[in-house]
Amino acid sequence: MIKGQCLCGAVQYQYQGEIENSILCYCTDCQQAQGAIGGWNSPLDQTQFEFISGQEQLKEYFHTPNKARVFCQNCASPIYSYRKDLPNIIRLRLGTVTAGNIPAPTEEFFTEHKPNFIELS
Ligand SMILES: [Zn+2]
Ligand SMILES: [Zn+2]
């Protein structure tokens, strides 16, 4: 069981499954969307994901027509993204997880934009 929330706490969620892998993405879209060195995400089965509260605070931003980035409109925490052509899969923003196990990243994408001070051990 995974639980998590946005920064202000309005949005609370839980996931019945476990997180099986995590991914670091250094593309410039992820860097700008997160305001950080990159995105730390995991693809999850949407049918096992549910909101406990705050669903009315969620807003979707389409930077590209196929992909929605879903965030809390009160505190701006990114929660997850989804692609219109991949039904039932969401990519959870793992910085919002508050309970449950997150495995170390197994893949890195767009490493040409990776800051050279980041090393995975
Ligand atoms: Zn919030
Ligand atoms: Zn990215």
Side-chain angles (χ1 to χ4, degrees):
M1 167 82 84
I2 301 291
K3 291 188 173 189
Q5 67 170 64
C6 64
L7 180 60
C8 76
V11 176
Q12 307 260 350
Y13 63 78
Q14 65 183 22
Y15 182 63
Q16 299 295 338
E18 294 297 327
I19 294 177
E20 281 159 24
N21 56 53
S22 72
I23 293 158
L24 292 168
C25 183
Y26 303 101
C27 81
T28 53
D29 282 2
C30 283
Q31 289 176 336
Q32 290 173 352
Q34 317 299 317
I37 58 170
W40 186 29
N41 307 319
S42 179
L44 300 183
D45 173 5
Q46 186 160 29
T47 64
Q48 298 189 72
F49 183 91
E50 63 182 354
F51 286 100
I52 299 164
S53 67
Q55 205 161 2
E56 75 286 352
Q57 293 289 345
L58 295 174
K59 188 163 182 181
E60 297 187 351
Y61 170 67
F62 287 84
H63 188 62
T64 50
N66 190 40
K67 181 176 179 178
R69 294 172 180 271
V70 184
F71 62 96
C72 173
Q73 62 183 341
N74 186 49
C75 69
S77 283
I79 308 296
Y80 68 92
S81 67
Y82 70 87
R83 281 170 47 171
K84 286 182 173 174
D85 61 343
L86 291 175
N88 296 328
I89 295 175
I90 61 170
R91 290 184 185 276
L92 186 65
R93 293 343 188 203
L94 296 178
T96 63
V97 172
T98 57
N101 181 53
I102 306 177
T106 52
E107 282 185 278
E108 296 179 279
F109 296 142
F110 296 94
T111 52
E112 66 271 29
H113 299 298
K114 178 181 175 177
N116 59 14
F117 56 82
I118 299 292
E119 281 183 46
L120 296 184
S121 53

